Amino acid sequence: MQLDRDDERILAGEQGETKQKMLELIVALGKVFGAERLVPIRSAQVSGASYKTIGEYGLQWLASLDAKAVVPAVLNPIGMPRGRWEEMGVDPVFAQKQQAVVAAYERLGIALECTCTPYYLRETSFGDHLAWSESSAVSYANSVIGARTNREGGPGALAAAIVGKTPCYGLHLEEKRKPQIIVRVEADTRNWDIAHYGALGYHAGKLVGNRIPFFSGLESATPERLKGLGAATAATGAVALYHVEGVTPEAAKGLFDLSGLEVINVETGEVERLFKEIPVDAVAVGCPHCSPLELEEIAGLLRGKVVTMPFYVFASQGVIDRNQKTVDQIEKSGARVFADTCMVVSPVMEQYEAIMVNSGKALAYVPDMCAAVARIGTIAECVNVATE
């Protein structure tokens, strides 16, 4: 692998042991995947932030590190909202451990924007090289924006943040970003919303696995809906990049040769069958974290209504701060808008037996991560259930 003089100095320990170890990790990963060089990154997004997922050993490892990130870097969602954990009902013992995790990352120079939607906080552009780790963020960056990132593990993303580089292999290379399978949606998608795109992703992810799908037949694609599609295909499959005919930036150029690719047909019934009407005892939306437009839609649907069961809305703190009036309208109904966490990584959600979501990703993860039954519905259906 080609390394420059600065890299060689880091490997020699001239910038400290932690940075040396981080670059050793990056180089080892690069060698495993056949990278010929490292590539500078514009930003990093680091997973392994919830104490629920990393535990005591992960916390001890973080506390042993001594370096600073050299590129803008944010955290994945943690297990609680930092400012409102008591209101959410988080156990004080868990809160103390979670605060220690956050403090460890802050000491390493990682910004405490704990979100799976970092693209709402900092401009990310077509062609930018990144080191992001959360599956839905990786999918959105690659697919909707046209940036370039592999799905980094938590330590790999942290190492890239501290070094400022990542191995140049996989989705960093143009030739590795071509479609590998066609998913032809044979349905009237004009009135589909985020939940339908999430349900499609939930179904399609199981069919395509880790291949790069090319979707055709999607007539109502918006960034929010594509976010739901990518999050779900990454959850039930291992899709880090997809293309949508005429919509996503690389597909819109029309340069792909699709001849000879396997075609999978998805019909309306295969998506609609996921929308099962079962009783729930909580509603949670914002997986991935809500955009300003999603918050506006929720506020409009809740206007003049009062919730009759716990209704959680999750968004990044930056989005909440910039849309405080909308958030206030939502909370006037009794619903709660929480930052930093989500229904998947917070232990609070484990108290419920059945949770209604509008996300294919949450539909996939809630049963395992929260030990609860998951029901998917549109955001309007979620509001109706929460206020009936």
Coordinates of all heavy atoms in Angstrom, one line a residue, residues 1-43:
M1 N 0.8 -1.2 0.0 CA 0.0 0.0 0.0 C 0.9 1.2 0.0 O 1.9 1.3 0.7 CB -0.9 0.0 1.2 CG -1.9 1.2 1.3 SD -2.9 1.2 2.8 CE -3.8 -0.3 2.6
Q2 N 0.5 2.2 -0.8 CA 1.2 3.5 -0.9 C 0.9 4.4 0.3 O -0.3 4.7 0.5 CB 0.9 4.2 -2.2 CG 1.3 3.4 -3.5 CD 0.8 4.0 -4.7 OE1 0.3 5.2 -4.7 NE2 1.0 3.3 -5.9
L3 N 1.9 4.8 1.0 CA 1.7 5.7 2.1 C 2.6 6.9 1.9 O 3.7 6.8 1.3 CB 2.1 5.0 3.4 CG 1.3 3.8 3.8 CD1 1.8 3.2 5.1 CD2 -0.2 4.2 4.0
D4 N 2.2 8.1 2.3 CA 3.0 9.3 2.1 C 3.9 9.5 3.4 O 3.8 8.7 4.3 CB 2.1 10.5 1.8 CG 1.2 10.9 2.9 OD1 1.4 10.5 4.1 OD2 0.1 11.5 2.6
R5 N 4.7 10.5 3.3 CA 5.7 10.7 4.4 C 5.0 11.0 5.7 O 5.4 10.6 6.8 CB 6.6 11.9 4.0 CG 7.5 11.6 2.8 CD 8.4 12.7 2.5 NE 9.4 12.9 3.6 CZ 10.3 13.9 3.6 NH1 10.3 14.8 2.6 NH2 11.1 14.1 4.6
D6 N 3.9 11.7 5.7 CA 3.1 12.0 6.9 C 2.6 10.7 7.6 O 2.7 10.5 8.8 CB 2.0 12.9 6.7 CG 2.4 14.4 6.4 OD1 3.6 14.7 6.8 OD2 1.7 15.1 5.8
D7 N 2.1 9.8 6.7 CA 1.6 8.5 7.2 C 2.8 7.7 7.8 O 2.6 7.1 8.9 CB 1.0 7.7 6.0 CG -0.2 8.4 5.4 OD1 -0.9 9.1 6.2 OD2 -0.5 8.1 4.2
E8 N 3.9 7.8 7.2 CA 5.1 7.0 7.7 C 5.5 7.6 9.1 O 5.8 6.8 10.0 CB 6.3 7.1 6.8 CG 6.0 6.5 5.4 CD 6.0 4.9 5.5 OE1 6.2 4.4 6.5 OE2 5.7 4.3 4.4
R9 N 5.4 8.9 9.3 CA 5.7 9.5 10.6 C 4.7 9.0 11.6 O 5.1 8.8 12.8 CB 5.7 11.0 10.5 CG 6.9 11.5 9.6 CD 6.9 13.0 9.7 NE 7.9 13.6 8.9 CZ 7.7 14.2 7.7 NH1 6.4 14.3 7.2 NH2 8.7 14.7 6.9
I10 N 3.4 9.0 11.2 CA 2.4 8.5 12.2 C 2.7 7.1 12.6 O 2.6 6.7 13.8 CB 1.0 8.6 11.6 CG1 0.7 10.1 11.4 CG2 0.0 7.9 12.5 CD1 -0.6 10.3 10.6
L11 N 3.0 6.2 11.6 CA 3.3 4.8 11.9 C 4.5 4.6 12.8 O 4.7 3.7 13.5 CB 3.4 4.0 10.6 CG 2.2 3.7 9.9 CD1 2.5 3.0 8.5 CD2 1.2 2.9 10.7
A12 N 5.4 5.6 12.7 CA 6.7 5.6 13.5 C 6.4 6.1 14.9 O 7.3 6.1 15.8 CB 7.7 6.4 12.9
G13 N 5.2 6.5 15.2 CA 4.8 6.9 16.6 C 5.1 8.4 16.8 O 5.0 8.8 18.0
E14 N 5.4 9.2 15.8 CA 5.8 10.6 16.0 C 4.6 11.5 16.4 O 4.8 12.6 16.9 CB 6.5 11.1 14.8 CG 7.8 10.5 14.5 CD 8.5 11.1 13.2 OE1 8.1 12.2 12.8 OE2 9.4 10.5 12.7
Q15 N 3.4 11.0 16.2 CA 2.2 11.8 16.7 C 1.4 11.1 17.7 O 0.2 11.3 17.9 CB 1.4 12.1 15.4 CG 2.0 13.0 14.4 CD 1.1 13.4 13.3 OE1 -0.1 13.5 13.5 NE2 1.7 13.7 12.2
G16 N 2.1 10.2 18.5 CA 1.5 9.6 19.6 C 1.0 8.1 19.3 O 0.8 7.7 18.2
E17 N 0.9 7.4 20.4 CA 0.6 6.0 20.3 C -0.8 5.7 19.8 O -1.0 4.8 18.9 CB 0.7 5.3 21.7 CG 0.5 3.8 21.6 CD 0.6 3.1 23.0 OE1 0.8 3.9 24.0 OE2 0.4 1.9 23.1
T18 N -1.8 6.5 20.2 CA -3.2 6.3 19.7 C -3.3 6.5 18.2 O -3.8 5.7 17.5 CB -4.2 7.2 20.4 OG1 -4.2 6.9 21.8 CG2 -5.5 7.1 19.9
K19 N -2.7 7.6 17.7 CA -2.8 7.8 16.3 C -2.0 6.8 15.5 O -2.5 6.3 14.4 CB -2.2 9.2 16.0 CG -2.7 9.8 14.6 CD -2.5 11.3 14.5 CE -3.1 11.8 13.3 NZ -2.9 13.3 13.2
Q20 N -0.9 6.3 16.1 CA -0.2 5.2 15.5 C -1.1 4.0 15.4 O -1.1 3.3 14.3 CB 1.1 4.9 16.3 CG 1.9 3.8 15.8 CD 3.0 3.4 16.8 OE1 2.9 3.5 18.0 NE2 4.2 3.0 16.2
K21 N -1.7 3.6 16.5 CA -2.6 2.4 16.5 C -3.8 2.6 15.5 O -4.2 1.6 14.8 CB -3.1 2.1 17.9 CG -2.0 1.8 18.9 CD -1.3 0.5 18.5 CE -0.3 0.1 19.5 NZ 0.5 -1.1 19.1
M22 N -4.3 3.8 15.4 CA -5.4 4.0 14.5 C -5.0 3.8 13.0 O -5.7 3.2 12.2 CB -6.0 5.4 14.7 CG -6.7 5.7 16.1 SD -8.1 4.7 16.4 CE -7.4 3.3 17.4
L23 N -3.8 4.3 12.7 CA -3.4 4.2 11.3 C -3.0 2.7 11.0 O -3.2 2.2 9.9 CB -2.2 5.1 11.0 CG -1.7 5.1 9.6 CD1 -2.8 5.3 8.6 CD2 -0.6 6.1 9.4
E24 N -2.5 2.0 12.0 CA -2.2 0.6 11.8 C -3.5 -0.1 11.5 O -3.5 -1.1 10.7 CB -1.5 0.0 13.1 CG -0.1 0.5 13.3 CD 0.5 0.0 14.6 OE1 -0.3 -0.5 15.4 OE2 1.7 0.2 14.8
L25 N -4.6 0.2 12.2 CA -5.9 -0.4 12.0 C -6.3 -0.1 10.5 O -6.8 -1.0 9.8 CB -6.9 0.1 13.0 CG -8.3 -0.3 12.7 CD1 -8.5 -1.8 12.7 CD2 -9.2 0.4 13.8
I26 N -6.2 1.1 10.1 CA -6.6 1.5 8.8 C -5.8 0.8 7.7 O -6.4 0.3 6.7 CB -6.5 3.0 8.6 CG1 -7.6 3.8 9.4 CG2 -6.6 3.4 7.1 CD1 -7.4 5.2 9.5
V27 N -4.5 0.7 7.9 CA -3.7 0.0 6.9 C -4.0 -1.5 6.9 O -4.1 -2.1 5.8 CB -2.2 0.2 7.3 CG1 -1.3 -0.7 6.4 CG2 -1.8 1.7 7.1
A28 N -4.2 -2.1 8.0 CA -4.6 -3.5 8.1 C -5.9 -3.7 7.3 O -6.0 -4.7 6.6 CB -4.7 -4.0 9.5
L29 N -6.9 -2.9 7.5 CA -8.2 -3.0 6.8 C -7.9 -2.9 5.3 O -8.5 -3.6 4.5 CB -9.2 -2.0 7.3 CG -9.8 -2.2 8.7 CD1 -10.6 -0.9 9.1 CD2 -10.7 -3.4 8.7
G30 N -7.1 -1.9 4.9 CA -6.8 -1.7 3.5 C -6.2 -2.9 2.9 O -6.5 -3.3 1.8
K31 N -5.3 -3.5 3.6 CA -4.6 -4.7 3.1 C -5.6 -5.9 2.9 O -5.5 -6.6 1.9 CB -3.4 -5.1 4.0 CG -2.3 -4.1 3.9 CD -1.1 -4.5 4.8 CE 0.1 -3.6 4.6 NZ 1.2 -4.0 5.5
V32 N -6.5 -6.0 3.9 CA -7.5 -7.1 3.8 C -8.3 -7.0 2.5 O -8.6 -7.9 1.9 CB -8.3 -7.1 5.1 CG1 -9.6 -8.0 4.9 CG2 -7.5 -7.6 6.3
F33 N -8.7 -5.7 2.2 CA -9.6 -5.5 1.1 C -8.9 -5.1 -0.2 O -9.5 -4.7 -1.2 CB -10.6 -4.4 1.5 CG -11.6 -4.9 2.5 CD1 -11.5 -4.5 3.8 CD2 -12.6 -5.8 2.2 CE1 -12.4 -4.9 4.8 CE2 -13.5 -6.2 3.1 CZ -13.4 -5.8 4.4
G34 N -7.6 -5.2 -0.2 CA -6.8 -4.9 -1.4 C -6.7 -3.5 -1.8 O -6.5 -3.2 -3.0
A35 N -6.8 -2.5 -0.9 CA -6.6 -1.1 -1.2 C -5.1 -0.8 -1.6 O -4.2 -1.3 -0.9 CB -7.0 -0.3 -0.1
E36 N -4.9 0.0 -2.6 CA -3.6 0.3 -3.0 C -3.1 1.6 -2.3 O -1.9 1.9 -2.3 CB -3.5 0.5 -4.5 CG -3.8 -0.8 -5.3 CD -3.8 -0.6 -6.8 OE1 -3.6 0.6 -7.2 OE2 -3.9 -1.6 -7.5
R37 N -4.1 2.4 -1.8 CA -3.7 3.7 -1.2 C -4.8 4.1 -0.2 O -5.8 3.4 -0.1 CB -3.5 4.7 -2.3 CG -4.8 5.0 -3.1 CD -4.6 6.0 -4.2 NE -5.8 6.2 -5.0 CZ -6.7 7.1 -4.8 NH1 -6.5 7.9 -3.7 NH2 -7.8 7.2 -5.5
L38 N -4.5 5.1 0.5 CA -5.5 5.8 1.4 C -6.0 7.0 0.7 O -5.4 7.6 -0.2 CB -4.8 6.2 2.7 CG -4.1 5.1 3.5 CD1 -3.6 5.7 4.8 CD2 -5.0 3.9 3.8
V39 N -7.3 7.4 1.0 CA -7.9 8.5 0.4 C -8.3 9.5 1.6 O -8.9 9.0 2.6 CB -9.1 8.1 -0.4 CG1 -10.2 7.4 0.4 CG2 -9.7 9.4 -1.1
P40 N -8.0 10.8 1.4 CA -8.5 11.7 2.5 C -10.0 11.8 2.5 O -10.7 11.7 1.4 CB -7.9 13.1 2.0 CG -6.8 12.7 1.1 CD -7.2 11.4 0.4
I41 N -10.6 12.0 3.7 CA -12.1 12.0 3.8 C -12.5 13.4 4.2 O -11.7 14.2 4.8 CB -12.5 11.0 4.8 CG1 -11.9 11.3 6.2 CG2 -12.3 9.6 4.3 CD1 -12.5 10.4 7.3
R42 N -13.7 13.8 3.9 CA -14.3 15.0 4.2 C -14.9 15.0 5.6 O -15.0 16.0 6.3 CB -15.4 15.4 3.2 CG -14.9 15.8 1.8 CD -14.1 17.1 1.8 NE -14.9 18.2 2.3 CZ -15.8 18.9 1.6 NH1 -15.9 18.6 0.3 NH2 -16.5 19.9 2.1
S43 N -15.4 13.8 6.0 CA -16.1 13.7 7.3 C -16.2 12.3 7.8 O -16.0 11.4 6.9 CB -17.5 14.4 7.3 OG -18.4 13.6 6.5

